[in-house]
Amino acid sequence: MSDIIAQLEAKRAEAMLGGGQKRIDSQHAKGKLTARERIEILLDEDSFEEIDMYVEHNCVDFGMEKTRIAGDGVVTGSGTINGRLVFVFSQDFTVFGGSLSERHAEKICKVLDNAMKVGAPVIGINDSGGARIQEGVASLGGYADVFQKNVLASGVIPQLSLIMGPCAGGAVYSPAMTDFIFMVKDSSYMFVTGPDVVKTVTNEIVTQEELGGAVTHTTKTSVADVAYENDIEALLAARDFIDFMPLSNREEVPERPTADPWDRLEDSLDTLIPDNANQPYDMHEVIRKMVDEGDFFEVQPSHAGNIICGFGRMEGATVGVVANQPMVLAGCLDINASKKAARFVRYCDAFNIPIVTLVDVPGFLPGTSQEHNGIIKHGAKLLFAYAEATVPKITIITRKAYGGAYDVMASKHLRGDLNYAWPTAEIAVMGAKGAVEIIFRGKTPDEIAERTAEYEARFANPFIAAQKGFIDEVIMPHSTRRRVALGLRKLRNKQLENPWKKHDNIPL
Ligand code: HXC
């Protein structure tokens, strides 16, 4: 018996070494952790239970039958993050460059299946040279199997991808179909075709980092949500992030104790809005003063800064926050902002996360670039997302709510449950000056000024909308947290269903 146990221990120790010490050292030299080290940081201490540690590839071409390494380039299993169950796969670059073989893919599929059965998030750590070249089409099939599972899991369990090394070719499409992607600066990249192919085909000379590094994807493309300095920072952020998430679409949002009083008043908000309507202020301040302990996990902070999206908590329970940011493009909705917020709203709706929307929007961004690139279709995404969402929706207009953007930003008309306005709100078809110049075209500057003042007096306030019941209540800025907390309490048992359909046809 003791022999057998010793054999098992030896086998385990060998499997734990993956591709061997030399390759582990080389991984460290690149500033990267190994697959197992990453799991250790990600999960609660000693909570990881590995499965399929002894799986090997089945390839007999190119001499592969002589090289079999236990685990076949991916470490899989489950564990906990702050006591809550999660499933994990972590590609091991020290084993065949973390490349994906048929068996490697089967391991990932098993993780997704197990997570789906019990309803728990999946975190995938990607560090791979792509399809296992020696296996040819078998590995392509493996990718497609993973893609299919990603799609079926979408909207059922949260899926988070951490890109911590290469992720190239068709391999990018698995993370791309998960809910959120975190990347590590300088050591991770994602592209469909790498710099060499790009040079051959288009003559462009570009580095890996420029083409598909963390900065590129979190600023320009929005393929990824957040960029971190190193593996450890990204893994710790993933822990924080998972704390906000429900385990599945069948669960309520998690709740955790908070010492922050639900009725905390924030007097400083009463003076936040500048006297001059064209002067910006930082909407982050409103968010941080509203949510529990100022704790806000922002997604895509470096892309489409004119809209802020992220997770916070109210009375310990997760909420999604969407907010126009007057400091960037005056808070206008443009293509990127619409796409960013639409996907976020749909995520919240899929996972029963109430949405709090803070509105200060002067309208859609004008210009040929926006029109020719399809602001109609992309703006419609956000409108569609808000209109179909059935989770509790609380909206607060802090200042401007002009034109179509007023409708879009979780207005009463899109089944907003509680629509509040600060006394500083201005709800109108457009800004006073633009409006008067159209309806009083040809008048003298004095007349225009007079009419502008008249228009402002009439519309630059929340009371006309409140008279019509489009605004439920004009609230004091200092009581924003209290009102939102109370509202969410009352909406906890909200029941609303959309008509039966196979699925909708959001303007993609
Ligand atoms: C098999 C691979 C591999 C792969 C790397 N390795 N990629 N083995 N299949 N795809 C092995 C290497 O042979 C090497 O083995 C070890 O992993 C480390 O690789 P290095 O090249 O030494 O590392 P590095 O210099 O860091 O370069 C990493 C790399 C490079 C940029 C990822 O390895 C690379 O270009 N690999 C090929 C990438 C690729 O073209 N993949 C196919 C993409 S197409 P030893 O034994 O020396 O340690 C694709 C299609 C998916 O993925 C389609 C889905 C629909």
Side-chain angles (χ1 to χ4, degrees):
M1 178 73 184
S2 59
D3 274 4
I4 298 173
I5 289 175
Q7 273 174 28
L8 173 67
E9 270 171 5
K11 220 170 156 53
R12 265 197 189 154
E14 195 189 328
M16 300 286 271
L17 266 186
Q21 195 57 48
K22 212 172 115 215
R23 290 191 183 87
I24 293 175
D25 293 343
S26 137
Q27 179 86 343
H28 287 159
K30 289 179 200 156
K32 292 168 31 173
L33 298 174
T34 65
R36 283 197 170 75
E37 287 166 347
R38 287 169 175 161
I39 290 177
E40 249 172 61
I41 294 172
L42 178 68
L43 301 181
D44 296 340
E45 209 178 337
D46 292 332
S47 75
F48 181 54
E49 276 192 292
E50 187 167 346
I51 59 165
D52 285 343
M53 188 187 230
Y54 308 111
V55 165
E56 294 176 353
H57 69 71
N58 55 358
C59 180
V60 289
D61 293 313
F62 304 104
M64 283 296 278
E65 66 281 4
K66 294 189 215 102
T67 331
R68 294 189 197 276
I69 299 174
D72 204 26
V74 62
V75 181
T76 57
S78 59
T80 57
I81 291 182
N82 290 323
R84 298 165 72 235
L85 178 63
V86 292
F87 287 79
V88 187
F89 66 87
S90 179
Q91 291 180 313
D92 185 348
F93 192 81
T94 71
V95 178
F96 308 117
S99 59
L100 185 136
S101 66
E102 190 178 357
R103 290 274 162 83
H104 177 129
E106 283 169 6
K107 286 182 68 173
I108 296 177
C109 287
K110 197 194 267 189
V111 166
L112 280 154
D113 285 343
N114 289 347
M116 284 286 277
K117 257 187 277 184
V118 301
V122 170
I123 302 167
I125 303 178
N126 294 253
D127 187 359
S128 164
R132 178 88 44 90
I133 291 166
Q134 297 89 335
E135 287 202 16
V137 72
S139 77
L140 297 187
Y143 268 120
D145 291 340
V146 175
F147 299 160
Q148 178 68 65
K149 304 254 178 218
N150 287 138
V151 171
L152 295 180
S154 180
V156 180
I157 49 172
Q159 298 180 79
L160 170 64
S161 297
L162 308 179
I163 314 295
M164 300 196 148
C167 183
V172 295
Y173 286 112
S174 173
M177 288 189 296
T178 63
D179 298 304
F180 295 96
I181 300 180
F182 297 171
M183 291 184 76
V184 178
K185 287 183 195 164
D186 301 322
S187 61
S188 75
Y189 51 85
M190 298 176 78
F191 36 67
V192 173
T193 50
D196 294 345
V197 179
V198 168
K199 181 162 182 286
T200 312
V201 178
T202 69
N203 258 329
E204 289 167 290
I205 296 173
V206 65
T207 63
Q208 284 182 344
E209 192 61 24
E210 283 163 2
L211 187 61
V215 172
T216 298
H217 283 314
T218 52
T219 56
K220 282 198 183 119
T221 69
S222 82
V223 163
D225 293 280
V226 197
Y228 293 96
E229 293 299 326
N230 54 50
D231 285 12
I232 295 178
E233 221 186 65
L235 292 158
L236 294 177
R239 286 179 61 86
D240 287 345
F241 184 79
I242 289 290
D243 276 351
F244 286 99
M245 296 303 133
L247 295 178
S248 76
N249 66 343
R250 295 188 294 270
E251 302 271 334
E252 295 299 314
V253 294
E255 269 183 66
R256 68 176 201 194
T258 173
D260 200 350
W262 68 274
D263 55 356
R264 169 171 50 77
L265 301 180
E266 280 291 348
D267 290 336
S268 61
L269 291 182
D270 291 343
T271 51
L272 180 70
I273 304 292
D275 290 337
N276 178 346
N278 295 324
Q279 226 178 311
Y281 60 94
D282 189 357
M283 191 63 100
H284 281 112
E285 194 175 332
V286 185
I287 299 171
R288 295 205 182 276
K289 287 180 173 163
M290 178 179 75
V291 298
D292 290 354
E293 289 144 28
D295 186 13
F296 182 59
F297 196 113
E298 187 169 351
V299 296
Q300 298 199 13
S302 308
H303 176 79
N306 39 334
I307 205 150
I308 303 168
C309 298
F311 300 99
R313 294 185 186 82
M314 295 296 295
E315 294 198 84
T318 305
V319 292
V321 180
V322 179
N324 307 116
Q325 168 60 294
M327 294 185 66
V328 180
L329 293 175
C332 270
L333 285 179
D334 63 354
I335 291 172
N336 288 344
S338 303
K339 291 198 299 191
K340 169 179 165 179
R343 187 161 158 77
F344 182 79
V345 166
R346 295 192 100 215
Y347 178 82
C348 291
D349 191 45
F351 288 100
N352 311 317
I353 300 171
I355 301 166
V356 179
T357 304
L358 301 172
V359 183
D360 187 348
V361 64
F364 281 96
L365 185 66
T368 50
S369 159
Q370 289 291 308
E371 296 291 348
H372 292 173
N373 285 300
I375 183 68
I376 296 175
K377 179 174 276 197
H378 299 298
K381 291 183 164 89
L382 183 55
L383 171 58
F384 198 114
Y386 267 125
E388 72 174 344
T390 56
V391 287
K393 293 186 280 196
I394 300 185
T395 305
I396 298 151
I397 300 173
T398 58
R399 188 168 63 175
K400 297 170 191 164
Y402 289 166
Y406 154 74
D407 281 343
V408 170
M409 294 300 295
S411 63
K412 197 71 184 163
H413 323 279
L414 304 184
R415 303 187 295 181
D417 295 301
L418 287 169
N419 291 69
Y420 292 134
W422 285 5
T424 41
E426 305 168 16
I427 304 166
V429 173
M430 61 203 301
K433 195 160 174 293
V436 169
E437 276 168 6
I438 291 170
I439 52 183
F440 297 104
R441 185 167 289 156
K443 300 283 179 194
T444 64
D446 282 352
E447 279 170 320
I448 294 276
E450 193 185 323
R451 295 296 188 174
T452 304
E454 194 183 320
Y455 191 94
E456 270 169 5
R458 176 109 178 95
F459 293 112
N461 64 65
F463 295 104
I464 302 224
Q467 276 167 18
K468 295 181 189 300
F470 299 165
I471 292 297
D472 293 301
E473 181 65 304
V474 180
I475 63 168
M476 296 305 283
H478 66 247
S479 67
T480 300
R481 173 176 165 82
R482 192 175 70 83
R483 301 301 286 245
V484 172
L486 262 181
L488 289 169
R489 254 190 229 174
K490 291 175 184 172
L491 287 164
R492 194 156 274 199
N493 295 325
K494 174 183 176 184
Q495 288 194 340
L496 178 65
E497 274 184 23
N498 292 330
W500 185 90
K501 55 184 93 173
K502 188 169 175 196
H503 56 70
D504 56 39
N505 189 18
I506 188 165
L508 289 174

